[in-house]
Amino acid sequence: MVVRFLRRNAADTDAPATESTDEVADSTRSAGKGRPTPKRREAQGRRSGPVPPPPRTQREAFKRMRGNKVSKEERRAAATERRQRMMAGEDKYLLPRDRGPVKAYIRDLVDSRRNLMGLFMPLAILVFVALLTPSLAVQRYATLATTFMLIAMVIEGIVLGRLVTRKVRAKFPTEPIKGLSIGWYSFIRASQIRKLRVPKPRVKPGDAIK
């Protein structure tokens, strides 16, 4: 009987102590902050300023949702402008391989000549069509003609590369000129159809280039 009484008294005495401890902790926390912790959205809303009015039309809502993103029309207009400036030969908009006065001079030298290598692409199309025909005679003659044309183009490319390299070295004596690089650039330019060259030719065939 005595043991039970002591246990009951111990439990009864511990309960008020625990409750008082919790109350002290709660009062300490509330006294330290003085207010409940705001939520993240509320804090961001107070920092960002007043809430803008709701959109009046669907188009306005769509523009607001996109923010500062550029529209397709603006991107298309910018791409068209860059393409036009590149075709005009503006150095800022050209590819790195086409920039500089040396490359511009090479293009003028190549564009001022009528080159057999300009028929390279039409010749490739002709050979492809000839290979699709069932006639073996047509295929044989097309292959023979293609072989002679390719040999002539290679010879012309070598001659053109040496000619252009010599003129470029005379025009730009202080520039580091590599004959192989100049010759390859000239060959690639000359092997393209004139209307498809990028940038567009500034000179006409037969013009004198100094």
Side-chain angles (χ1 to χ4, degrees):
M1 296 296 291
V2 176
V3 175
R4 291 180 181 178
F5 180 76
L6 292 176
R7 287 181 180 178
R8 188 180 300 110
N9 290 341
D12 294 340
T13 56
D14 291 342
T18 304
E19 293 177 359
S20 61
T21 304
D22 294 340
E23 292 177 357
V24 171
D26 293 340
S27 61
T28 303
R29 285 196 297 266
S30 60
K33 299 182 65 174
R35 63 183 184 277
T37 303
K39 295 182 180 179
R40 185 175 181 182
R41 294 181 180 178
E42 296 177 357
Q44 291 179 352
R46 285 197 293 268
R47 287 196 300 266
S48 60
V51 180
R56 291 173 294 181
T57 60
Q58 185 176 1
R59 185 176 182 180
E60 183 180 353
F62 184 70
K63 287 184 178 180
R64 186 179 300 180
M65 181 179 62
R66 290 188 304 176
N68 296 326
K69 293 182 179 179
V70 182
S71 62
K72 291 183 178 180
E73 291 77 10
E74 293 174 347
R75 290 197 301 268
R76 192 175 303 166
T80 302
E81 183 180 0
R82 288 195 301 268
R83 175 72 177 177
Q84 292 176 354
R85 291 179 179 270
M86 182 177 63
M87 295 299 293
E90 293 189 21
D91 199 72
K92 179 181 178 181
Y93 297 91
L94 294 177
L95 297 176
R97 65 181 183 185
D98 299 325
R99 294 175 183 173
V102 176
K103 296 298 181 65
Y105 183 67
I106 295 172
R107 292 194 297 270
D108 290 342
L109 291 175
V110 174
D111 296 337
S112 64
R113 297 169 54 92
R114 295 187 183 276
N115 303 291
L116 183 63
M117 290 180 291
L119 301 176
F120 179 79
M121 294 180 64
L123 181 63
I125 297 175
L126 179 62
V127 171
F128 179 75
V129 173
L131 293 177
L132 295 179
T133 59
S135 176
L136 295 178
V138 174
Q139 296 180 6
R140 189 180 301 111
Y141 286 122
T143 304
L144 186 62
T146 303
T147 303
F148 283 113
M149 289 287 291
L150 290 177
I151 294 174
M153 289 179 183
V154 170
I155 296 174
E156 185 186 35
I158 296 174
V159 174
L160 178 64
R162 291 182 176 179
L163 176 64
V164 172
T165 302
R166 185 174 66 252
K167 290 188 175 182
V168 169
R169 285 175 177 172
K171 179 75 172 179
F172 304 94
T174 60
E175 293 288 339
I177 304 299
K178 297 181 180 180
L180 183 60
S181 177
I182 297 299
W184 178 251
Y185 187 78
S186 303
F187 178 82
I188 295 298
R189 179 76 176 181
S191 62
Q192 297 174 347
I193 298 177
R194 187 177 180 86
K195 293 183 178 181
L196 300 180
R197 293 175 184 176
V198 179
K200 290 183 178 180
R202 300 184 299 181
V203 298
K204 297 180 181 180
D207 292 348
I209 306 298
K210 297 181 181 181

